[in-house]
Amino acid sequence: MTVQPHPALQPYADAWTHSVEAISELVLPLTEGEWNRATPCPGWSVRDVVSHIIGIECEQLGDPRPIHTVARDLRHVVDEFSRYMEVQVDVRRHHTAPEMTSELEYTVIRRSRQLRNEKRDPATMVRGPLGDQVTLEHALRLRAFDVWIHEQDLRAALGAPGNWDSPGAYVARDLLLAGLPKVVAKRAAAPANSAVVIDVHGPLEFMRTVRVDADGRGTVDKSPSLGPAVTLTMDWETYVRLAAGRVRAHTVADRVKVEGDVELADAILTQFSVTP
C-alpha cells in the first residue's frame, strides 16, 4: 500500500516530481560540451544548475554538507548566501556527464521514496535550504518552486522550451506573487492609498492588484482597481524571468506595457526580483 503524504503537501510533492523528472529527461542525452552551456543563472552552467539541485535535495535527505572551500575569485559569488549555495555546485564542477546523471537519478530515487513515505505534519519544523528552521510545508513548497525555476533555466540554456503551465508553474506563480507587496510598497515606495495592477497573459493568465494602505503597507488580492497608479501588462514568461531575477527590466522593456505613473512603474520593474 502506498502511503500518501498529508493533503497539504501533495500538490508540492506532485509539482516537484513533475519538474525533477523533466530535468532528468532533459539532461540524460546531453554531451559533455552541452553540460558546460551557460544558463540564465549568473555564473552557472547546465552542470552547475544540476549540481545545485542534487546538493539541496541531498541536504533535505539529511546528508552532511561537503567540506569544501569555494575559491575567492568567482565573480558570481557576491555574499554569504551565494557562497553557501556555491559549495554543492563547486564540489561537482569536474564531474563527468555519466557521474552527473547517475547521481541525479540516485538522489531523485531517494528523495521520491522519502516524499512517498512522508507521514509528518506539514507544520513540523525541518532544516531549510540555508540551514534555518522552516515548516515542512514551506520547505517542500520552496523545493517545488526551485526545481521548476531551474527546469526553465535548463530549458533556456538547451533551447528546449516547455512546461510553462505545469504544476510547478502554479507553485511559482503563488510564491512570486507573495513577494509583490514588498516590491511595490517598500522597495518602489508606492504612495499611500495607491494601487498597482499586474496583468499577466500567456500559458498562465491572472490579474492581481497590490494595494498600499495609509501606513504604507502592501497587500495583494484578485479584485480589480478602478483607478490604479500603474498597470503593468506582460506575458507569463517575462513575469517569471523578471521576478526570479533572470533578466533586468530594460532588456525586456519591449515585452512590458506600462500605463499610468511611468516613474513608479520604472521603480517597480527595477526592483521586481523577489528571489535571493
Side-chain angles (χ1 to χ4, degrees):
M1 186 182 84
T2 303
V3 178
Q4 295 293 319
H6 190 284
L9 301 179
Q10 192 65 52
Y12 304 127
D14 291 344
W16 177 89
T17 301
H18 189 279
S19 291
V20 90
E21 287 179 352
I23 288 169
S24 296
E25 287 176 19
L26 274 172
V27 301
L28 189 61
L30 297 185
T31 63
E32 286 291 347
E34 288 170 315
W35 281 89
N36 297 323
R37 281 197 192 174
T39 72
C41 285
W44 279 8
S45 65
V46 167
R47 176 186 284 98
D48 297 338
V49 168
V50 175
S51 294
H52 165 74
I53 292 165
I54 292 169
I56 297 294
E57 298 302 344
C58 285
E59 290 184 28
Q60 294 295 295
L61 283 158
D63 295 358
R65 274 174 60 81
I67 298 169
H68 179 77
T69 303
V70 174
R72 288 275 161 192
D73 59 353
L74 294 175
R75 285 201 321 208
H76 61 280
V77 177
V78 294
D79 52 24
E80 282 312 304
F81 174 82
S82 51
R83 184 165 296 281
Y84 184 96
M85 285 299 179
E86 196 69 18
V87 170
Q88 293 279 12
V89 172
D90 198 52
V91 80
R92 293 176 173 83
R93 280 239 152 82
H94 302 294
H95 287 198
T96 63
E99 286 173 328
M100 292 299 299
T101 52
S102 61
E103 189 182 11
L104 177 64
E105 182 184 17
Y106 180 56
T107 304
V108 169
I109 289 169
R110 291 175 64 210
R111 190 79 162 104
S112 298
R113 185 185 302 131
Q114 182 190 40
L115 292 175
R116 272 199 311 274
N117 297 327
E118 185 59 78
K119 301 180 184 69
R120 292 174 294 178
D121 186 273
T124 305
M125 299 304 288
V126 298
R127 176 196 169 98
L130 276 175
D132 49 346
Q133 290 291 303
V134 298
T135 65
L136 176 61
E137 183 175 0
H138 185 62
L140 193 48
R141 181 191 299 126
L142 286 177
R143 294 311 311 132
F145 167 76
D146 195 54
V147 292
W148 182 81
I149 287 287
H150 287 313
E151 178 195 340
Q152 294 306 329
D153 289 331
L154 294 171
R155 288 184 177 281
L158 298 168
N163 282 350
W164 283 105
D165 59 350
S166 67
Y170 288 88
V171 176
R173 178 196 64 185
D174 294 345
L175 204 143
L176 293 173
L177 281 170
L180 256 185
K182 184 177 181 182
V183 168
V184 172
K186 298 290 183 256
R187 294 185 192 164
N193 302 311
S194 66
V196 171
V197 171
I198 310 288
D199 188 0
V200 175
H201 55 89
L204 259 62
E205 292 194 350
F206 55 91
M207 185 185 284
R208 294 291 186 274
T209 302
V210 179
R211 301 178 197 279
V212 183
D213 67 15
D215 298 319
R217 283 191 297 266
T219 54
V220 61
D221 62 53
K222 296 180 182 179
S223 54
S225 169
L226 295 176
V230 170
T231 299
L232 298 173
T233 305
M234 66 189 86
D235 63 274
W236 169 231
E237 181 180 345
T238 300
Y239 182 90
V240 170
R241 292 167 73 202
L242 279 169
R246 297 311 194 253
V247 291
R248 295 186 184 276
H250 67 86
T251 65
V252 290
D254 59 325
R255 299 183 66 163
V256 180
K257 181 185 174 189
V258 174
E259 296 172 85
D261 185 334
V262 175
E263 278 189 32
L264 178 57
D266 189 51
I268 292 167
L269 290 168
T270 303
Q271 302 285 337
F272 211 74
S273 173
V274 296
T275 56

